[in-house]
Amino acid sequence: MSNAKKTGKSKFLGDDLNDLINKSQFVKESPKTGPQKRNKSAAPAIQEDDVSRLMIDQQVSMKKRKISACQASETPQKVRDAIMQQIESRQQCNDLMLNNLSNIITKLDANQAQMIENQDKLEQLTGALLKCIQQSSAAHKQNLKLLWDFHDTFKKRYEEMNVLHKAENEKLSEEIEDDLKNLEQKLIMETKRSGWDNVRRTIFHAMQNDL
């Protein structure tokens, strides 16, 4: 829309300049000269020189007007060409800038989408890792509880067994002491009995020998 307006303005400007130039060309080329009084005393050669000089001046003036008209007719085209070049330059710059901005925005959108995808993957991995850690922690806690239960059971059984063995050892010690005492008394009795038997046998042999 802006290009059409600028082109229309430049066209109207060229038309105005052309009209101005054309009007200037149709201006009466020579000033009005009133009827000259013939000087009867002037020579005919002098009148011919004036006419030839006037014609030369008119030809020179016409050539100058033609040159000015050509230059004036070329000026609007130059203006239009300059304006069109500026419009094309601005359009190229605009297209290049829009293309670059579009590429940058496209890349940023792709990077944003990739970042969101990576964030989702990271959240999934983090959730899976947390779940794995929770499961490992629960399993470790369960194993630790089992070890503590085993420790408490072993300690309790050890203490009970220690008390039982201690009581059995004390009872066995008492029984051994009793057995030793009984054996000792038995040995003493047997020793005494065997001593008396020896004494009796000795006495009996002695009596037999005396007899």
Side-chain angles (χ1 to χ4, degrees):
M1 187 69 182
S2 60
N3 292 335
K5 288 182 178 180
K6 290 180 180 178
T7 305
K9 288 182 180 179
S10 63
K11 185 175 179 181
F12 293 149
L13 179 62
D15 294 338
D16 294 337
L17 289 174
N18 289 327
D19 293 338
L20 181 62
I21 291 167
N22 293 328
K23 289 179 181 179
S24 65
Q25 288 179 353
F26 288 102
V27 176
K28 192 169 183 180
E29 295 178 355
S30 62
K32 293 182 179 180
T33 57
Q36 297 181 355
K37 294 181 180 181
R38 294 182 179 180
N39 191 357
K40 294 181 178 181
S41 63
I46 295 172
Q47 291 178 357
E48 291 177 358
D49 292 338
D50 293 337
V51 172
S52 61
R53 190 180 299 110
L54 180 61
M55 291 177 65
I56 291 170
D57 292 339
Q58 289 179 354
Q59 290 177 358
V60 171
S61 178
M62 288 177 67
K63 288 181 179 179
K64 289 182 179 180
R65 289 194 188 98
K66 288 180 180 179
I67 293 171
S68 299
C70 292
Q71 291 177 353
S73 62
E74 292 176 355
T75 300
Q77 185 63 33
K78 290 181 180 179
V79 172
R80 285 194 293 269
D81 293 339
I83 292 173
M84 290 301 297
Q85 289 178 357
Q86 292 177 358
I87 292 172
E88 290 178 358
S89 299
R90 286 197 299 270
Q91 187 65 36
Q92 290 177 358
C93 182
N94 187 28
D95 293 340
L96 180 61
M97 182 63 68
L98 289 177
N99 189 18
N100 292 332
L101 287 174
S102 178
N103 292 331
I104 293 171
I105 292 171
T106 302
K107 290 180 180 179
L108 289 175
D109 288 337
N111 292 333
Q112 181 69 18
Q114 186 65 35
M115 289 175 65
I116 293 172
E117 183 179 357
N118 292 333
Q119 182 180 359
D120 294 337
K121 290 181 180 179
L122 183 60
E123 289 178 355
Q124 292 177 0
L125 290 174
T126 303
L129 181 61
L130 289 174
K131 186 176 180 180
C132 182
I133 291 173
Q134 290 175 357
Q135 291 177 354
S136 299
S137 178
H140 180 74
K141 186 176 180 180
Q142 184 66 26
N143 292 331
L144 187 62
K145 185 177 182 299
L146 291 174
L147 287 174
W148 277 113
D149 292 340
F150 179 76
H151 175 269
D152 295 338
T153 303
F154 177 78
K155 183 178 180 181
K156 183 178 180 180
R157 289 183 179 179
Y158 173 78
E159 291 175 353
E160 291 176 355
M161 189 177 295
N162 189 23
V163 172
L164 180 62
H165 289 173
K166 187 176 181 180
E168 290 178 352
N169 290 332
E170 290 178 356
K171 184 178 180 181
L172 183 60
S173 298
E174 291 176 357
E175 290 178 355
I176 291 172
E177 288 179 358
D178 293 337
D179 291 338
L180 288 174
K181 288 180 181 179
N182 292 330
L183 181 60
E184 184 179 2
Q185 292 176 0
K186 186 177 180 180
L187 289 174
I188 291 171
M189 293 296 292
E190 289 180 355
T191 303
K192 288 180 180 180
R193 188 180 299 111
S194 61
W196 285 108
D197 291 339
N198 291 329
V199 171
R200 281 197 298 270
R201 279 195 299 271
T202 303
I203 293 170
F204 179 73
H205 288 297
M207 289 176 66
Q208 284 180 354
N209 291 330
D210 291 337
L211 294 175

